[in-house]
Amino acid sequence: MALVLSRVSARFADEENKSVPALKDISFSIPDGAFVSIIGPSGAGKSTMMRVILGLMPHESGDIVRNFSRPAMVFQNYALFPWLSALDNTAFGLRMGGMKSDERARIAREKLKEVGLGNLENHYPGALSGGQRQRVGLARALAISPDLLIMDEPFSNLDTITAAALKDDLIKIWRTYGMTIVMVNHLIPDAVELSDQIIVMGAHPGRVEKIIPVDIPRPRDTRNAQFFKEVDLLTKAIRAVS
């Protein structure tokens, strides 16, 4: 298993500095190399759980087994530095790791080509579309050769056509790298299209309500009856906890 959570609970301080439960008795496991989506209503603690998984926020009880060594994250709002070019944004993690400039530039160029931006390495984020910015964020994550990739609603700011192209590329990259992907998402069809397993969370505090395996063969046809059946099943599960 790449990741195992056993009865994990966490709290955070609200605006009045009062301790508020964010996660309660979270338990699930993620196989190595799996693509897993976490989905649920607002207040379900999805982003909090990502921080706990990465060790960026402490948990108050329970156990976490992290069988990964090089985690990376792709953010919903891209999180690019506006004063850095696409190349330098992609190389940022390597720079922080102390890699020499020639080597990190070589790797950054390679990753930008992988995500279809090889001709835009000198462009700054302000000159890029939303889809291009998200691809730079993905290239930056890939530059460190991650064994766990966490994606926080990566398609929510993109138009339908751009999101579809990025999803196709993401599946190819996932297969090439063999990494584990955990995606926080609120788009039900995307979760069904991409995932091996979907973790449905309830809110206030965040908790696991259901874990749904997706047994549709790949590549997945998003227009057939089995796909729509899985979307309906997940929709009902979400409505039940909303």
Side-chain angles (χ1 to χ4, degrees):
M1 292 292 170
L3 177 68
V4 180
L5 277 71
S6 300
R7 299 185 66 82
V8 171
S9 296
R11 306 179 75 87
F12 67 91
D14 65 10
E15 295 177 354
E16 299 177 353
N17 206 31
K18 295 180 180 178
S19 181
V20 177
L23 302 174
K24 182 175 177 59
D25 291 337
I26 299 291
S27 296
F28 61 80
S29 58
I30 295 178
D32 187 45
F35 196 129
V36 174
S37 285
I38 298 174
I39 195 166
S42 178
K46 301 183 294 295
S47 295
T48 297
M49 188 158 66
M50 295 301 97
R51 293 195 292 271
V52 168
I53 288 171
L54 291 172
L56 301 176
M57 174 179 170
H59 58 287
E60 64 172 354
S61 62
D63 298 306
I64 302 176
V65 178
R66 301 177 177 94
N67 292 321
F68 54 85
S69 57
R70 297 182 311 281
M73 188 162 182
V74 174
F75 300 87
Q76 177 184 7
N77 63 352
Y78 321 127
L80 302 180
F81 299 106
W83 58 87
L84 296 180
S85 67
L87 183 70
D88 289 337
N89 265 291
T90 301
F92 183 79
L94 302 176
R95 178 184 174 188
M96 292 297 99
M99 182 178 289
K100 293 181 178 180
S101 59
D102 289 350
E103 180 65 6
R104 68 176 184 252
R106 181 191 67 79
I107 293 173
R109 288 191 178 96
E110 177 183 294
K111 300 310 171 186
L112 284 171
K113 288 180 181 177
E114 281 187 28
V115 301
L117 296 181
N119 61 332
L120 298 178
E121 65 178 55
N122 294 320
H123 285 55
Y124 288 82
L128 300 174
S129 68
Q132 290 168 339
R133 293 179 194 178
Q134 194 61 288
R135 287 175 181 274
V136 174
L138 179 57
R140 178 179 55 194
L142 296 177
I144 67 168
S145 298
D147 50 1
L148 173 70
L149 180 63
I150 291 181
M151 309 187 79
D152 188 5
E153 302 198 15
F155 312 116
S156 61
N157 290 333
L158 306 180
D159 63 81
T160 302
I161 294 174
T162 301
L166 186 56
K167 283 186 286 183
D168 287 344
D169 289 344
L170 179 60
I171 290 294
K172 292 175 185 175
I173 288 167
W174 171 55
R175 287 173 172 165
T176 298
Y177 281 77
M179 72 183 97
T180 306
I181 296 181
V182 179
M183 181 176 70
V184 173
N185 188 26
H186 71 274
L187 301 173
I188 292 173
D190 286 355
V192 175
E193 181 180 355
L194 297 171
S195 308
D196 299 314
Q197 175 179 295
I198 300 170
I199 298 170
V200 179
M201 294 187 67
H204 308 302
R207 61 197 183 275
V208 174
E209 293 285 358
K210 182 175 280 190
I211 298 177
I212 301 174
V214 183
D215 296 323
I216 304 175
R218 297 182 186 271
R220 291 179 177 162
D221 182 354
T222 60
R223 295 165 296 180
N224 69 20
Q226 187 177 5
F227 182 85
F228 289 124
K229 181 179 179 180
E230 292 288 344
V231 169
D232 287 345
L233 176 66
L234 183 55
T235 300
K236 290 176 181 177
I238 295 293
R239 285 176 177 169
V241 301
S242 297

